[in-house]
Amino acid sequence: MIDGVHLAQRACWHRPTNQIIGLCREHSEPFNLAMDDMDSVLKIVEAVHGDSPTCHYGREATVLAIGPYRETHYHGVPIGQTQTCKSEKGPGFAALLKMTLEEWKTHGEPHSGPILTVSFDGDPVFRDGAFDVLMIRTPDKSSSLSLKLSGCQGLNLECGEDDIVIGPDGKHIVKRASIS
Ligand SMILES: [Zn+2]
C-alpha cells in the first residue's frame, strides 16, 4: 500500500545514522548528507536556500506499507518512507517501486511471503510509474493467477514480475465513477 503524507518542510539531523534527513529524493543524491564536515552542510544550505535552488525540502512523504491478505489483523505496517518535492514523474516513481519490490523479495518474502498486489490512490505519478512496473507481461497460462482470472472476459490480465498486479482502490474507483 502506497500513499503520500503531507510534511512540515524542514531538515533534521538523524542521530542514529548521523545524516541530514528531510530533503527531497529527486535532488538530494549528489550531496553528502552525512554530518561529517561543515563544507558539505554549507553546500546543502546553498542548494536549498540559494538564489537558484537545486535541492528542496520534502513536501510529501511517500509511505510504503505492507499488510497480509486475511480477515483479521490485516493492518498495514510501514516498511519505508521517502520525501518528495513533487517534481518526480512516472519513471522516477517506477524506479522506487521496482527497488522496493526487489528488496522485499530478498529480505521480506522469505519470512512473510510474496507481494501479491500493489495498491495506491489516484495520484497520477503513482499510476504512471506503476504501469511501467506492473503492466509489463501476461502471466504464464499455467500460473495460479492466470487460472483464476483467464475466464474473466474483457479483464486486462497484464501484471508485473512474479505475477504482482495493481490492486484496485475501491474508494477511489467509486469516487471517480460518481464524478463522471
Ligand atoms: Zn527536489
Side-chain angles (χ1 to χ4, degrees), residues 12-27:
C12 304
W13 172 47
H14 187 240
R15 181 194 291 262
T17 58
N18 195 34
Q19 297 270 317
I20 298 170
I21 60 172
L23 303 176
C24 67
R25 63 175 174 262
E26 293 93 330
H27 303 108

Side-chain angles (χ1 to χ4, degrees), residues 97-119:
L97 177 58
K98 197 163 183 293
M99 181 196 70
T100 303
L101 296 176
E102 289 169 355
E103 291 296 317
W104 180 264
K105 189 170 182 177
T106 302
H107 302 290
E109 186 171 323
H111 310 288
S112 302
I115 290 178
L116 304 176
T117 66
V118 176
S119 299

Side-chain angles (χ1 to χ4, degrees), residues 24-28 54-57 84-87:
C24 67
R25 63 175 174 262
E26 293 93 330
H27 303 108
S28 61
T54 58
C55 187
H56 317 96
Y57 293 125
T84 172
C85 62
K86 302 288 285 178
S87 68

Side-chain angles (χ1 to χ4, degrees), residues 25-91:
R25 63 175 174 262
E26 293 93 330
H27 303 108
S28 61
E29 192 172 338
F31 298 97
N32 173 19
L33 300 179
M35 292 279 287
D36 52 13
D37 71 88
M38 197 60 188
D39 282 348
S40 297
V41 175
L42 292 176
K43 279 182 188 165
I44 293 169
V45 171
E46 176 63 22
V48 175
H49 292 285
D51 293 335
S52 303
T54 58
C55 187
H56 317 96
Y57 293 125
R59 291 174 50 196
E60 189 177 281
T62 305
V63 180
L64 306 120
I66 191 151
Y69 272 107
R70 59 187 181 201
E71 292 186 6
T72 59
H73 305 297
Y74 49 79
H75 319 294
V77 176
I79 58 171
Q81 72 87 23
T82 169
Q83 301 79 231
T84 172
C85 62
K86 302 288 285 178
S87 68
E88 186 174 68
K89 305 295 182 209

